[in-house]
Amino acid sequence: MRFRTFNLLATRRNMLVLLIGITAALSFLIVNASSAQQPVDSRPRQTGIATATPTPQQPSPTPVQTGPGRRIAPQLGAPPPPPVLKPKPTPNPDPNSAEIDENSRLIMNTELVTLHVRVIDRNNHPINNVPKEDFRILEDGVPQPIFSFTREEVPVMYGLAVDTSGSLRPAFEQVINASKAIINSNKRGDETFLERFISSDKIETVQDFTANKDALMDGLDTLYIEGGQTAVIDGVYLAAEHVAEYKKGGDDDRRRRALIVVTDGEDRASYYLESQLFQRLREEDVQIFVIGFVNELEAEKGLIRKSPRDKAVALLNRLASETGGRAFFPNSISELPDIASEIVHDLRTQYVVSYDPTNKSHDGTYRSIKVTIADAPGQGKRIALTRSGRTAGQTVAKPVSKPAVTPVNNNARQPTNNRKSP
């Protein structure tokens, strides 16, 4: 009995020792695993009491004022660059394909003044049978000798400048269709360029001068409405300048030059002044035809100011009258096809008259021009419409060569005129 009790105690003692050993082994493994997961801190240990480093106090931000009493300090920014007509990217030209040799000199008669005259009756119907003898030209009230006279149909170089700002959105589809109708009327020898304008920094050549109708139609199909502060004056300024300078002084100088502008006429943020625009137009013989969508503009006027609609109508009418063109103000988009036909008809049924001015001074002064039609038996009142004057600037023949294409620089043109203050 004693022997069995001793064996039982020995067995329990062995089991207890075994359990203690297993527990110790497990504890050792757990401690090692925990140590392996902890990042090793290699920084030197510091002894002693740690003292908190004072943090520099950050200045509290100035509260933004809101509400009706908010005031913002005005800042005078740098003046914006003058607008530049952005050209359509083209491949680098072949330097061996210049139309005129670099050392050649262009000689031309700079004295002649060419007028494109439209003759109408009291009902605005064109008259196409007026002989040369019935024309009289006055410059500053002085009769001028007529050098040449023709009624033949000559090719036309014209630009189509389309306002693609948000104000044209309701009639945009019809505007594109009317533009296509005008281009479809192009005949052999005609060349057209397309311009889209919004704000001063968004005046672009969609398609440069070409006789290819397909290219022009494709250009119209790429137009889209875009937001911005409409710059009508800048758009007209650059487009008219481009029309006037294209092939200037060459054999094509006898071709009619015109610009068709489609806009609502509300100028909001142009770089050029209105006076600068008309000064530039007086230097060139570019007729301007305008399609003005002014009905959506505000008609309310103040005590001492014109309404936006009145200002737009005045600007567009002046563009047409001073250049010998016409202004159209459709009351509905259904009138656009007829307007397009009238513009095309006017471009084709004009008289081209040149005169040799008696005042030979090249002093940069403005000379008024008036064309009248003499009365004839059995004829009603006949009215001659052409540009109202010219600037007698000095023209010097220069060596002409085909220029290389250079990157667009919005700061390239630096006009001497003062910028319009805001």
Side-chain angles (χ1 to χ4, degrees):
M1 183 67 181
R2 291 179 62 186
F3 178 75
R4 291 179 61 188
T5 302
F6 175 81
N7 287 340
L8 182 60
L9 292 174
T11 300
R12 290 180 176 178
R13 184 174 63 249
N14 292 337
M15 292 182 63
L16 180 61
V17 172
L18 180 61
L19 289 173
I20 293 173
I22 293 173
T23 303
L26 291 174
S27 299
F28 180 77
L29 293 174
I30 293 173
V31 169
N32 285 343
S34 300
S35 299
Q37 294 179 359
Q38 295 294 329
V40 179
D41 190 357
S42 60
R43 295 177 296 175
R45 300 295 180 184
Q46 295 182 355
T47 60
I49 301 174
T51 57
T53 303
T55 303
Q57 185 177 1
Q58 298 294 333
S60 59
T62 303
V64 178
Q65 300 181 16
T66 59
R70 181 182 180 185
R71 295 175 60 84
I72 301 176
Q75 293 182 350
L76 181 61
V84 174
L85 181 62
K86 299 177 182 178
K88 182 180 179 65
T90 55
N92 291 330
D94 183 358
N96 298 322
S97 63
E99 296 177 359
I100 302 177
D101 294 337
E102 184 175 356
N103 297 323
S104 299
R105 293 185 66 85
L106 181 64
I107 301 175
M108 56 185 178
N109 186 350
T110 60
E111 298 293 335
L112 291 180
V113 177
T114 301
L115 302 176
H116 296 94
V117 185
R118 186 166 58 94
V119 181
I120 59 174
D121 60 19
R122 293 185 182 275
N123 296 318
N124 201 28
H125 296 146
I127 301 176
N128 303 321
N129 58 354
V130 182
K132 173 183 176 181
E133 294 74 22
D134 288 354
F135 279 82
R136 294 178 182 175
I137 301 176
L138 302 176
E139 183 178 283
D140 285 341
V142 178
Q144 303 295 309
I146 295 178
F147 180 83
S148 64
F149 174 87
T150 180
R151 286 194 305 269
E152 67 177 334
E153 187 172 294
V154 296
V156 180
M157 293 187 297
Y158 70 92
L160 183 57
V162 182
D163 180 350
T164 56
S165 63
S167 56
L168 265 291
R169 188 183 304 276
F172 190 66
E173 182 179 354
Q174 287 73 19
V175 166
I176 299 301
N177 291 336
S179 300
K180 289 182 177 181
I182 294 173
I183 291 174
N184 268 326
S185 71
N186 285 6
K187 298 187 177 181
R188 183 179 179 86
D190 293 346
E191 291 187 70
T192 307
F193 102 98
L194 300 179
E195 175 197 87
R196 71 184 290 257
F197 65 91
I198 306 162
S199 53
S200 290
D201 59 342
K202 293 179 181 178
I203 302 175
E204 301 169 344
T205 300
V206 178
Q207 172 62 56
D208 210 345
F209 275 104
T210 182
N212 189 327
K213 292 184 182 181
D214 291 336
L216 294 168
M217 294 298 182
D218 290 343
L220 286 173
D221 287 336
T222 65
L223 296 182
Y224 60 95
I225 295 295
E226 188 174 356
Q229 295 295 311
T230 313
V232 177
I233 291 175
D234 289 345
V236 174
Y237 189 106
L238 296 181
E241 183 179 61
H242 192 51
V243 172
E245 295 298 327
Y246 180 64
K247 293 185 178 180
K248 184 176 183 179
D251 293 337
D252 292 315
D253 232 11
R254 62 192 291 271
R255 297 205 285 183
R256 294 171 181 150
R257 299 173 185 266
L259 176 63
I260 302 170
V261 182
V262 184
T263 180
D264 66 356
E266 185 180 21
D267 187 272
R268 295 185 177 182
S270 279
Y271 175 88
Y272 291 104
L273 297 170
E274 186 174 326
S275 59
Q276 292 173 311
L277 169 62
F278 286 99
Q279 173 66 28
R280 186 74 177 94
L281 293 177
R282 289 166 186 158
E283 297 171 0
E284 309 294 349
D285 185 18
V286 177
Q287 289 179 299
I288 297 181
F289 296 84
V290 180
I291 303 176
F293 293 89
V294 300
N295 290 339
E296 297 299 323
L297 297 180
E298 182 183 352
E300 186 78 19
K301 58 184 177 181
L303 295 176
I304 57 175
R305 68 173 180 85
K306 292 182 178 180
S307 69
R309 184 187 299 180
D310 290 342
K311 289 177 64 176
V313 170
L315 172 62
L316 300 182
N317 273 328
R318 187 182 177 193
L319 284 173
S321 63
E322 291 205 12
T323 61
R326 291 179 68 184
F328 300 87
F329 300 97
N331 291 317
S332 69
I333 56 180
S334 62
E335 300 177 29
L336 286 180
D338 291 339
I339 290 175
S341 297
E342 289 194 51
I343 291 176
V344 170
H345 187 264
D346 287 349
L347 288 174
R348 304 291 174 191
T349 57
Q350 299 183 53
Y351 302 86
V352 183
V353 186
S354 296
Y355 69 93
D356 192 7
T358 56
N359 185 349
K360 303 296 183 181
S361 299
H362 291 231
D363 52 8
T365 58
Y366 176 73
R367 315 278 176 81
S368 65
I369 296 174
K370 184 176 182 180
V371 178
T372 61
I373 308 296
D375 294 334
Q379 296 282 348
K381 180 68 175 178
R382 297 176 294 178
I383 304 169
L385 303 175
T386 188
R387 55 175 167 151
S388 61
R390 69 181 183 97
T391 299
Q394 187 172 5
T395 305
V396 180
K398 298 180 181 180
V400 177
S401 62
K402 178 173 283 190
V405 176
T406 55
V408 176
N409 180 3
N410 280 344
N411 294 317
R413 184 189 289 111
Q414 298 295 338
T416 56
N417 299 308
N418 294 329
R419 172 177 165 266
K420 178 169 62 176
S421 61

